[in-house]
C-alpha cells in the first residue's frame, strides 16, 4: 500500500484538538507520505495537501478552529481550489450550519445543514456500513461499489447541492458518505479505521494530488 511517489508530498494534518489526529497520521504514513501536524495558519501556505480530521461536536470544532485562527486561512486555501480532505467532523465543519447541540455556524464551504439521524435506528451510527458510489472518481480507484467503511456519528450532512455527493450510505436515511468538489473531498466515515479500503482512500487522494497533479 505504501507508495514512494508520496514521500515528497507536503501533507499538513491540522491539529485543532481532534481526538483522531494520531490515527490519521499513522494511516497517512502507512500509504507512504510523511505528514506534518500543524496548528498554525502559516502551515497552509506551502502545503500540497491539507487534511482536516475530526471527532466530537461542531460547536467545539468551530471554537477551536477560531481560537487557532484557522478559519480564514482554510477559506482562502479552499477558494484557491487546493487539495483538501475532510474526515468525519472535517466534513461536517464544511457545511453551512450544524444542528448538533443547538444551531451553530460552520465554515459554509458546502451549502446545507448537519442534522440528526432519524429515530428508529441505534444512535450513534457506529460500525461498518456499505457505501454506494453515485459516480466513479479517482478517490475510488481499486475500491468496489458497495465496499464497507467504518462510521461513528449521530448527525449527517443534508446537502443543498446533491451533485457534490459522490457516495452514500443507508442508516434510516440516505447518509452523505463522500463529497467532492474540485480538489476538495470529504468523508463521513473514518478511512483510518476502515482497513485496506480506508487506506486506499488516503492513498488515492494523495496520489491524485502528488507531483504531477498539484498546482498552487
Amino acid at each position: 500500500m505504501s507508495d514512494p511517489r508520496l514521500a515528497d508530498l507536503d501533507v499538513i494534518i491540522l491539529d485543532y484538538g481532534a481526538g483522531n489526529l494520531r490515527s490519521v497520521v499513522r494511516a497517512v504514513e502507512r500509504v507512504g507520505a510523511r505528514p506534518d501536524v500543524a496548528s498554525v495558519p502559516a502551515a497552509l501556505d506551502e502545503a500540497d495537501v491539507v487534511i482536516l480530521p475530526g471527532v466530537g461536536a461542531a460547536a467545539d470544532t468551530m471554537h477551536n478552529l477560531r481560537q487557532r485562527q484557522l478559519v480564514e486561512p482554510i477559506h482562502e486555501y479552499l477558494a484557491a481550489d487546493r487539495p483538501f480532505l475532510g474526515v468525519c467532523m472535517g466534513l461536517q465543519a464544511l457545511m453551512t450550519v450544524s444542528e448538533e447541540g443547538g444551531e451553530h455556524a460552520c465554515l459554509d464551504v458546502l451549502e446545507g445543514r448537519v442534522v440528526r439521524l432519524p429515530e428508529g435506528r441505534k444512535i450513534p451510527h457506529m460500525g461498518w456500513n456499505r457505501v454506494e458510489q453515485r459516480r466513479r472518481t479517482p478517490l475510488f480507484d481499486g475500491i468496489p461499489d458497495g465496499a464497507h467503511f467504518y462510521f461513528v456519528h449521530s448527525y449527517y450532512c443534508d446537502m443543498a447541492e446533491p451533485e457534490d455527493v459522490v457516495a452514500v450510505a443507508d442508516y434510516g436515511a440516505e447518509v452523505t458518505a463522500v463529497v467532492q468538489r474540485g480538489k476538495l473531498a470529504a468523508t463521513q466515515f473514518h478511512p483510518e479505521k476502515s482497513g485496506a479500503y480506508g487506506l486506499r482512500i488516503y492513498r488515492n487522494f494523495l496520489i491524485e494530488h502528488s507531483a504531477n497533479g498539484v498546482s498552487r
Side-chain angles (χ1 to χ4, degrees):
M1 182 64 71
S2 182
D3 194 310
R5 290 175 290 177
L6 301 179
D8 296 326
L9 195 64
D10 188 1
V11 180
I12 297 298
I13 301 177
L14 290 180
D15 177 11
Y16 62 94
N20 65 329
L21 179 69
R22 294 301 162 192
S23 57
V24 173
V25 169
R26 288 193 295 270
V28 172
E29 289 174 340
R30 285 188 64 187
V31 301
R34 300 171 183 170
D36 291 318
V37 175
S39 59
V40 295
L44 283 72
D45 292 345
E46 297 302 320
D48 292 327
V49 175
V50 168
I51 299 176
L52 182 68
V55 294
D60 292 336
T61 295
M62 293 307 302
H63 171 78
N64 290 338
L65 290 174
R66 292 187 191 100
Q67 190 174 53
R68 289 164 171 79
Q69 298 183 314
L70 288 168
V71 171
E72 190 57 35
I74 289 173
H75 276 138
E76 292 174 359
Y77 181 95
L78 290 170
D81 194 26
R82 294 168 63 190
F84 182 98
L85 179 64
V87 175
C88 195
M89 180 51 65
L91 163 60
Q92 295 187 7
L94 296 170
M95 300 294 287
T96 305
V97 67
S98 173
E99 297 179 1
E100 185 174 7
E103 188 165 294
H104 305 282
C106 296
L107 291 168
D108 198 21
V109 173
L110 300 172
E111 187 179 352
R113 301 179 71 84
V114 181
V115 299
R116 186 167 173 82
L117 288 164
E119 299 299 328
R121 303 291 292 270
K122 184 177 179 181
I123 299 176
H125 174 201
M126 181 181 296
W128 296 85
N129 202 346
R130 185 174 186 269
V131 170
E132 298 179 3
Q133 299 170 24
R134 284 193 165 169
R135 59 182 170 90
R136 294 292 297 181
T137 78
L139 195 66
F140 296 127
D141 284 352
I143 300 173
D145 190 15
H148 285 71
F149 292 88
Y150 193 85
F151 291 78
V152 184
H153 64 116
S154 300
Y155 288 74
Y156 71 103
C157 298
D158 183 11
M159 303 286 295
E161 298 179 13
E163 63 272 17
D164 291 336
V165 180
V166 298
V168 298
D170 177 32
Y171 198 74
E174 186 176 82
V175 172
T176 299
V178 184
V179 302
Q180 280 195 279
R181 178 192 292 176
K183 294 188 176 77
L184 179 156
T187 69
Q188 182 60 71
F189 55 79
H190 287 272
E192 69 279 1
K193 296 182 179 181
S194 297
Y197 288 143
L199 290 178
R200 190 86 186 187
I201 290 283
Y202 283 118
R203 177 184 176 277
N204 287 347
F205 187 79
L206 296 176
I207 287 292
E208 183 181 2
H209 302 295
S210 60
N212 294 328
V214 171
S215 60
R216 293 196 182 97

